[in-house]
Amino acid sequence: MGIAESTPDELPSDAEEQLRNGEQQLELSGRRLRRLPSAVCALSRLQKLYVSGTGLRELPEEIEELRELRILALDFNKLERLPDGLCRLPRLTRLYLGSNRLPALPADFAQLQSLRCLWIEGNFLRRFPRPLLRLVALQSLQMGDNRLRALPAELPRMTGLRGLWLYGNRFEEFPPALLRMGRLHILDLDRNRLGGFPDLHPLRALRVFSYDHNPVTGPPRVADTVFLVGEGAVERMAERDEPTPRPPPRRPARAFDDEEEDLLIGGGSSRALGPPVDSLCALEAAPGLGT
């Protein structure tokens, strides 16, 4: 049986049934959609919209009519640009853009001041998108498998950031700006080209540091409370006087629960994570860790 395909401007036949339960959630993932049906943008009360893996190539400007939208999943599509209208969703807290073809983000992306979780892994980013520097409420930023070589000196402006995933990029030196990210809990630099690390003790809140698959000869200097993933990590942690911290989950499935906001700042639980890890729960998303 093939994947269902809707006419371009109509809602799928099961949309009314999906919305009938009062959750204001629409699941379109896995259908063939080159563009989002215009009728979707008329659902002004919609709060969760999942359009993953549909072959989507473009989004209409009218998406800005979804003023109540909290969660938007657009991953595993063929998007090469985002419309400015997407940047005018005042309640959006979680946005999933992974595995598209995005080389940049629009300048107006900085208007998404409610955004707390952004996944933009597996795109074509060569430079860190500067609009992100103005998203001070952002807590979880997934930028793995892009083409980044450097980070802006202004990165510490992102005072809310707790988890940063940069695995699979092209860093040859440890970005100096990271040493001023004293509130980071999780930092993932797997699969880069790093030959060494500075002393990471300035990262006082750090709980997990992953550096596997880099041309380094040993682990960095970190506080004894940091769980390490990489060459020599097991040996280093075994030498500590303190008990070895519990490991983070290995690539948990993405969760779309409302509980995710609690997980970003500690506490709560998620069906995708299983038992929580301390109070952080690995910020709900720990892609790249332990790979």
Side-chain angles (χ1 to χ4, degrees), residues 11 21 43 110 270:
L11 289 174
N21 59 15
L43 300 173
S270 168

Side-chain angles (χ1 to χ4, degrees), residues 128-130 132-136 151-159 161 176-178 180-181:
F128 188 92
R130 297 195 67 82
L132 298 183
L133 298 173
R134 296 169 58 188
L135 298 180
V136 295
L151 297 177
E154 301 93 334
L155 189 69
R157 292 180 185 175
M158 302 180 72
T159 55
L161 206 58
L178 288 176
R180 294 184 288 123
M181 299 293 290

